[in-house]
């Protein structure tokens, strides 16, 4: 978490540490940071939905067997917990165009 007017100042970065007594705790110490999403995560995207009035996340969770799943989640808070649904994904179904499209 970084205030937008301090985006270039590393000292302004605050890391989510924990939830204590129902309130989030943030720290300037990187070693205090805790993940809001567990797993072998990549391609993460997060946003606020004014329609749903919730935070939405999507990300790939890469499995040890080489498979991947797309996970979609929502939460009242940006630090979670996220109610997550899973969509199996196979990279064999992803293809690139063979010719240039202009």
């Amino acid at each position: 978490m970084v205030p937008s007017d301090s985006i270039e100042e590393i000292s302004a970065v605050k890391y989510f540490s924990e939830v204590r007594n129902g309130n989030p705790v943030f720290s300037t110490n990187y070693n205090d940071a805790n993940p809001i999403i567990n797993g072998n995560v990549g391609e993460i995207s997060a946003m606020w939905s004014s329609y749903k009035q919730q935070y939405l996340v999507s990300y790939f969770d890469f499995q040890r067997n080489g498979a991947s799943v797309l996970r979609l989640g929502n939460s009242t808070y940006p630090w979670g917990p996220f109610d997550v649904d899973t969509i199996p994904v196979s990279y064999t179904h992803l293809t690139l165009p063979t010719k240039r499209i202009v």
Side-chain angles (χ1 to χ4, degrees), residues 3-98:
S4 60
D5 61 345
S6 302
I7 196 74
E8 295 182 8
E9 299 173 33
I10 193 70
S11 62
V13 175
K14 293 184 180 175
Y15 302 95
F16 172 73
S17 178
E18 64 180 313
V19 175
R20 187 182 306 145
N21 299 322
N23 297 307
V25 176
F26 295 90
S27 173
T28 56
N29 185 343
Y30 174 82
N31 293 320
D32 292 339
N34 278 304
I36 61 169
I37 297 172
N38 293 311
N40 191 9
V41 175
E43 304 289 333
I44 188 169
S45 178
M47 66 173 275
W48 168 255
S49 169
S50 56
Y51 176 75
K52 290 187 64 91
Q53 293 293 298
Q54 290 192 322
Y55 292 91
L56 307 176
V57 295
S58 63
Y59 58 94
F60 283 107
D61 189 349
F62 302 102
Q63 308 294 300
R64 291 176 193 242
N65 64 2
S68 297
V69 293
L70 174 63
R71 299 197 190 271
L72 306 172
N74 60 291
S75 176
T76 305
Y77 306 104
W79 51 84
F82 290 94
D83 181 21
V84 176
D85 289 323
T86 301
I87 300 170
V89 175
S90 170
Y91 283 107
T92 59
H93 298 291
L94 300 176
T95 58
L96 298 173
T98 56

